[in-house]
Amino acid sequence: MRSSHLAVAIVAVLSGLGVGRASAQDTVKIGVVIPMTGTSAAVGREIEAGTKLYMAQHGDTVAGKKIQLIIRDDASVPDNAKRLAQELIVNDHVSFLGAGLTPSAMSMAPLSAQGKVATVVMVSGTSVVTERSPYYVRTSFTLGQQSGIIADWAIKNGSKKAVAILSDWAPGAEAGKVFAQHFAQAGGQVLETLKVPLANPDFAPFLQRAADLHPDTLFVFVPAGQAGPFARQFAERGLDKSGIKLVGPGDIVDDDDLPGTGDTLLGVVTAGIYSAAHPSALNKQYVDAYQKMTGHRANFISVGGYDGMHLIYAALEKTGGKTDADAVVAAMKGMAWESPRGPISIDPRTRDIVQNVYIRKVQTVSGAPWAVEFETFPNVKDPLKEASPK
Ligand code: PHB
């Protein structure tokens, strides 16, 4: 009996010292706060798949540390995101956070800033988000990055009068603002801007109003997960046959929804950061592996998660496994690598992503609609940060 008591005591002491199984010091925890339920659940599913696929391909050990991914469901509610981030920092002792949708990323920012936790912004497309914490680094995109380029393209291809239909929240406002600036500057006219509620949108009355204004071009931003319902209502109103050109950032031809849209979006031209049809060896491998793992086509949200994990892995390699937020963020600044979307890097000044923006046209390839790239704008920065440098 005495010896077994001794053994228990020794085990207790050793585990207290961090000896034995993978100890707290040998494990790096990454807490990702995303919507796994509710109206934006598709976004959470895609980020979870992207992060897990990266780990499946690259293993769960970096610089001698065991990587542990923790996914928390905020159901798109910013107060939940804040509470979950706090619990991840205080109870789980995460070394990294992953942030999702704009409102949640905004509410988590003070915790990242004050708690000094390096945070990868994997979904949000709103410019200002990365300015809310010095430890925020983005692997997603901004709406401005895409919306100015598509405005210029539309004007060059004959557009003169546009109506904008925008999902009514921060990324929609930015998409509309940058589109309108470029469109007006190039001599076009935005006849009207229509704002559609974010949750459970009914596009029909807005599409009717847009049609009544007789524009030659419709600029539309809806977030990931709403391209399918939008396309259905667009076709129900006969707008796919009206001769009005539909353009937008990549979100309206989201690859997660595109296979289910039939002929509705054929010919639609967008400026986007990722297409599953991107013709690179790395992307073909990514799309195949993603399809095998999830049964879905990889989309622009998923690469934000996949590349977010790469950024964390590469930073840990560079710091030799140190997770101190200042060291990690310094390591991330200026980092450049090949993503399934093409070459990307982290702007050392803004901690925002620099990436190619592609002009793509929806075409039928092997019996299904795909956004086929035909022009590339290389190394595009967030235009709103370039306009007002801080
Ligand atoms: C965002 O959270 O800013 C966001 C989410 C989904 C999108 C675009 C922007 O498709």
Side-chain angles (χ1 to χ4, degrees):
M1 283 320 276
R2 279 202 63 191
S3 69
S4 80
H5 274 127
L6 189 62
V8 169
I10 288 170
V11 167
V13 169
L14 289 182
S15 58
L17 293 172
V19 179
R21 291 187 312 118
S23 68
Q25 285 81 358
D26 292 332
T27 301
V28 170
K29 293 184 187 173
I30 304 167
V32 179
V33 182
I34 42 176
M36 299 305 295
T37 55
T39 50
S40 296
V43 167
R45 161 170 59 77
E46 291 148 6
I47 289 292
E48 182 179 33
T51 51
K52 290 196 167 162
L53 179 56
Y54 189 87
M55 290 186 71
Q57 290 177 341
H58 297 87
D60 62 357
T61 306
V62 185
K65 305 269 176 169
K66 183 106 176 144
I67 306 295
Q68 186 187 342
L69 182 67
I70 305 172
I71 305 264
R72 291 279 185 264
D73 174 20
D74 70 1
S76 307
V77 177
D79 281 346
N80 290 353
K82 192 173 186 174
R83 176 176 50 77
L84 291 167
Q86 175 128 20
E87 286 171 10
L88 285 164
I89 295 169
V90 174
N91 300 343
D92 297 293
H93 305 290
V94 295
S95 300
F96 294 89
L97 285 169
L101 298 175
T102 291
S104 291
M106 296 286 247
S107 78
M108 284 164 59
L111 294 164
S112 160
Q114 286 149 29
K116 291 191 193 277
V117 183
T119 302
V120 179
V121 179
M122 297 178 173
V123 181
S124 171
T126 306
S127 179
V128 74
V129 159
T130 44
E131 289 167 14
R132 293 295 171 92
S133 165
Y135 302 112
Y136 265 20
V137 183
R138 174 156 29 213
T139 56
S140 47
F141 50 83
T142 70
L143 271 308
Q145 239 170 1
Q146 305 159 72
S147 302
I149 287 174
I150 196 63
D152 296 343
W153 185 89
I155 291 278
K156 242 201 266 163
N157 287 274
S159 293
K160 292 186 173 65
K161 289 182 180 353
V163 169
I165 295 184
L166 308 171
S167 177
D168 190 12
W169 57 318
E174 285 192 5
K177 177 178 156 183
V178 177
F179 176 82
Q181 275 171 356
H182 277 247
F183 202 72
Q185 202 164 22
Q189 193 190 350
V190 177
L191 301 174
E192 207 162 298
T193 296
L194 308 171
K195 294 184 185 169
V196 185
L198 172 61
N200 307 312
D202 175 12
F203 298 107
F206 301 97
L207 287 167
Q208 189 56 53
R209 172 69 187 153
D212 291 346
L213 290 162
H214 300 293
D216 52 44
T217 302
L218 201 55
F219 172 78
V220 176
F221 165 71
V222 296
Q226 294 187 5
F230 174 80
R232 199 164 46 247
Q233 295 189 337
F234 187 73
E236 276 166 11
R237 290 231 125 24
L239 281 160
D240 55 334
K241 310 225 159 45
S242 67
I244 299 173
K245 243 188 283 177
L246 174 60
V247 299
D251 313 60
I252 54 167
V253 295
D254 181 351
D255 275 301
D256 194 62
D257 285 348
L258 203 50
T261 59
D263 291 348
T264 307
L265 297 176
L266 288 183
V268 170
V269 175
T270 52
I273 54 114
Y274 176 73
S275 167
H278 179 65
S280 73
L282 179 65
N283 185 52
K284 285 202 177 77
Q285 201 187 59
Y286 179 70
V287 171
D288 287 349
Y290 190 95
Q291 182 80 39
K292 231 176 251 152
M293 192 173 113
T294 66
H296 290 264
R297 193 193 285 181
N299 76 340
F300 71 106
I301 296 290
S302 73
V303 290
Y306 186 82
D307 292 324
M309 287 304 284
H310 174 90
L311 182 63
I312 291 171
Y313 274 43
L316 282 171
E317 265 159 23
K318 216 163 147 186
T319 63
K322 269 208 305 193
T323 56
D324 162 67
D326 286 297
V328 159
V329 171
M332 288 176 169
K333 287 181 178 178
M335 206 167 255
W337 69 100
E338 191 195 350
S339 155
R341 60 187 117 171
I344 63 176
S345 67
I346 301 299
D347 186 333
R349 184 176 70 86
T350 62
R351 290 167 279 104
D352 217 328
I353 185 165
V354 183
Q355 59 192 329
N356 292 351
V357 172
Y358 306 91
I359 312 275
R360 311 92 49 84
K361 187 179 201 155
V362 178
Q363 292 168 6
T364 304
V365 181
S366 311
W370 295 79
V372 179
E373 297 167 358
F374 63 90
E375 196 178 340
T376 303
F377 291 76
N379 307 324
V380 179
K381 293 187 175 186
D382 171 35
L384 293 172
K385 290 201 182 70
E386 295 312 295
S388 57
K390 278 211 175 90

